[in-house]
Amino acid sequence: MKLPGGWSPPARALRLIATSGARALGRPGLGHILPDFLLIGAMKAGTSFVFASLAAHPHIIRSRRREIHFFGSRFSRGVPWYRTHFPTGLEMRRYQAITGEGSTSYLANPDSPARIRSVLPEVKMIALLRDPVDRAISNYFHEQRTGRETLPIAEAFRAEESRRVEMGLGHLSYRTRGLYAEQLERYYTLFPREQILVLRSETLFAEPAKVMAQVCRFIGVDSALDTREYEPRNVGGYDPAKVPVEVYEALTAFYAPHNERLYSLLGRDMKWRPHALSPSP
């Protein structure tokens, strides 16, 4: 039996043993390399799926945990601490591999671009952008399931600004996280555009194999080595019937100018439909 990405179970086990041993022997700041790529967001836009898919590739060794948030809330811990989350040079040479991480906070955090530039000026970044109306609603129901959100959906969206002033850009920043144009502009002022791959989440959900091949080419690994058969998937987790129509209307009106700004910035229409009626999750 072959595992996804062409690894047999014994080969995968041997690689994990070798990886764990090399990391145990490593010292912070010595031997451990820095990432070749970052998945920078957005939240609830398919980044977990992309990261898991890349981690199964035979020439990609993932970070010890997917969301490190170093360039966000943990920057004060320092680069040596950050390095310990990644493979050693020995591992990378042995498997002719690259490595990366995916922290969905990086796209929306205004401090992240400059921090990334200071540590990883040549890193490749992948940004997944989902229709911000759907993304905000999905985000709300995710936070409700975790127990962090207790307000009804319309009330939660109305309360966002006062919460943000009080708590900063946190889990409950539903609308703010969908302001993609201003978020990408911060990156474009510091990085060449060719270092940032901007993908439409809806295309990923509908054609995952096609989008993953594009991602592999972007980060420099052979997409032909990825032998998996992807199942088309969507990001759900909530019942659209539970969302009042006025919530869709308010979010659609809110995002309309921001979406136009994004289309102009990217030079392409993301084809996010008007939300006159409740869409599918």
Side-chain angles (χ1 to χ4, degrees):
M1 182 184 72
K2 289 279 188 178
L3 289 179
W7 287 91
S8 67
R12 175 61 63 85
L14 286 173
R15 194 185 86 168
L16 290 175
I17 292 170
T19 297
S20 299
R23 285 176 173 162
L25 294 172
R27 289 180 293 167
L30 295 177
H32 296 266
I33 69 165
L34 288 170
D36 303 283
F37 66 87
L38 300 174
L39 273 68
I40 60 175
M43 183 184 289
K44 304 303 294 180
T47 53
S48 297
F49 171 73
V50 172
F51 185 81
S53 300
L54 291 175
H57 192 284
H59 293 298
I60 296 175
I61 302 177
R62 56 163 289 169
S63 55
R64 291 172 61 185
R65 58 183 172 188
R66 178 175 66 88
E67 292 199 281
I68 304 172
H69 296 296
F70 173 66
F71 296 107
S73 59
R74 296 173 175 151
F75 194 65
S76 62
R77 299 192 182 189
V79 174
W81 175 86
Y82 185 52
R83 282 183 180 271
T84 63
H85 292 81
F86 297 98
T88 64
L90 175 63
E91 295 173 75
M92 304 305 289
R93 290 190 295 272
R94 180 170 183 175
Y95 299 108
Q96 299 179 353
I98 64 173
T99 188
E101 62 125 329
S103 297
T104 56
S105 61
Y106 293 165
L107 184 60
N109 190 316
D111 297 322
S112 293
R115 291 171 175 176
I116 294 171
R117 173 72 182 176
S118 69
V119 178
L120 303 170
E122 298 182 0
V123 73
K124 292 190 174 181
M125 290 167 281
I126 301 157
L128 283 151
L129 306 184
R130 182 183 180 186
D131 183 323
V133 174
D134 291 341
R135 197 223 66 79
I137 294 171
S138 180
N139 195 169
Y140 167 82
F141 283 102
H142 172 79
E143 297 304 329
Q144 188 184 64
R145 289 191 297 273
T146 67
R148 284 188 289 256
E149 180 58 81
T150 58
L151 296 177
I153 185 168
E155 188 176 343
F157 288 148
R158 287 194 297 268
E160 179 177 337
E161 185 60 28
S162 60
R163 284 171 158 179
R164 190 171 64 84
V165 170
E166 181 180 350
M167 299 182 295
L169 184 64
H171 292 278
L172 308 184
S173 298
Y174 307 116
R175 297 193 308 175
T176 304
R177 288 182 180 273
L179 303 179
Y180 304 135
E182 69 178 51
Q183 293 165 9
L184 284 174
E185 284 169 350
R186 291 194 288 260
Y187 279 89
Y188 286 155
T189 60
L190 297 174
F191 295 94
R193 291 197 176 208
E194 56 266 26
Q195 280 184 236
I196 306 171
L197 177 64
V198 178
L199 299 171
R200 183 174 174 269
S201 297
E202 291 77 13
T203 305
L204 171 69
F205 305 152
E207 302 177 278
K210 178 180 177 181
V211 173
M212 288 309 305
Q214 184 181 0
V215 172
C216 286
R217 290 192 298 270
F218 175 70
I219 62 177
V221 295
D222 189 350
S223 61
L225 295 177
D226 188 348
T227 59
R228 286 166 300 152
E229 294 183 3
Y230 293 95
E231 291 291 333
R233 55 168 31 182
N234 205 337
V235 175
Y238 67 92
D239 181 0
K242 295 182 178 179
V243 182
V245 172
E246 54 266 28
V247 169
Y248 288 106
E249 293 174 343
L251 288 175
T252 298
F254 173 77
Y255 282 121
H258 298 286
N259 287 348
E260 290 302 320
R261 180 178 168 187
L262 175 69
Y263 301 163
S264 177
L265 177 68
L266 297 178
R268 72 179 194 264
D269 189 337
M270 300 295 273
K271 300 180 180 178
W272 291 324
R273 66 202 177 286
H275 289 72
L277 297 174
S278 304
S280 299

